[in-house]
Amino acid sequence: MVTLVGMQANFEDALKDLIELDYDAVEAYDAAINRLENQEFKEKLNIFKADHEWHIQELTNVLKKRNIDPPSGPSTGKQWLTKGKVVLANLIGDNVILRAMISNEIDTNTAYERISLREDMWSEAKDIIRRGLEDEKRHKKWLENTVLEKSEA
Ligand SMILES: [Fe+2]
């Protein structure tokens, strides 16, 4: 399922859902890191996870400055990601786990792309969203390259 984040009626709601998506992503990264065997992959995913934590912090500040209550944790029941933490926690094999994480990066890329194109974008959020999109593109590219290398080996 492709995530619906970014399609909300107003920018405020879209931003709230994006923050929840980032929280969901952090949980999925945690589950993946727990299941991975390759130390290098674990370290890389830890760095990517930190990017998501940074997105949460920056986007949360945008809402707070406008006196809007930000989400304080993952989505409840909405399941923004195709391969959430529950799915990840049950996977076995590094390549299988990395492939599942690619699905999630597709979701986060879609969400960041959609929100970056919104006409009702708040000016102070523009750079944060742009950098977030760049991070997600980078995460997806690394995963795709790594899965490819592993398949060829
Ligand atoms: Fe990511």
Side-chain angles (χ1 to χ4, degrees):
M1 190 192 83
V2 175
T3 186
L4 297 172
V5 174
M7 297 176 82
Q8 291 68 17
N10 60 66
F11 190 74
E12 176 182 327
D13 286 342
L15 206 55
K16 285 179 176 171
D17 287 347
L18 187 66
I19 293 171
E20 283 187 354
L21 175 76
D22 271 307
Y23 274 113
D24 284 5
V26 167
E27 286 195 330
Y29 273 99
D30 269 333
I33 291 161
N34 275 334
R35 304 294 290 175
L36 284 169
E37 287 188 357
N38 183 307
Q39 201 54 38
E40 187 195 323
F41 297 166
K42 280 178 187 274
E43 282 164 22
K44 199 74 182 177
L45 261 58
N46 254 316
I47 295 168
F48 293 169
K49 188 183 101 174
D51 289 334
H52 285 273
E53 286 168 337
W54 186 237
H55 299 166
I56 291 167
Q57 202 179 322
E58 287 194 302
L59 297 172
T60 294
N61 284 338
V62 169
L63 289 175
K64 279 186 178 164
K65 279 186 189 149
R66 289 188 179 233
N67 292 316
I68 300 163
D69 275 342
S72 55
S75 64
T76 42
K78 287 184 211 152
Q79 278 255 299
W80 292 132
L81 291 172
T82 307
K83 309 276 184 185
K85 61 168 180 178
V86 179
V87 174
L88 260 308
N90 287 301
L91 296 182
I92 297 168
D94 284 8
N95 218 24
V96 173
I97 294 163
L98 296 182
R99 276 186 196 283
M101 287 304 284
I102 292 177
S103 303
N104 289 341
E105 300 300 346
I106 291 170
D107 286 339
T108 49
N109 271 275
T110 302
Y112 270 90
E113 257 163 37
R114 269 199 208 121
I115 203 160
S116 71
L117 295 172
R118 288 185 67 117
E119 307 252 319
D120 57 351
M121 162 87 76
W122 297 340
S123 60
E124 75 270 30
K126 202 167 186 171
D127 280 352
I128 299 168
I129 302 279
R130 184 182 49 77
R131 286 198 301 270
L133 176 57
E134 282 167 13
D135 287 341
E136 294 319 306
K137 281 184 183 167
R138 193 161 40 78
H139 298 175
K140 182 165 161 277
K141 190 149 195 70
W142 181 86
L143 284 164
E144 284 169 347
N145 289 341
T146 306
V147 165
L148 206 66
E149 278 168 28
K150 274 193 69 114
S151 313
E152 284 165 357

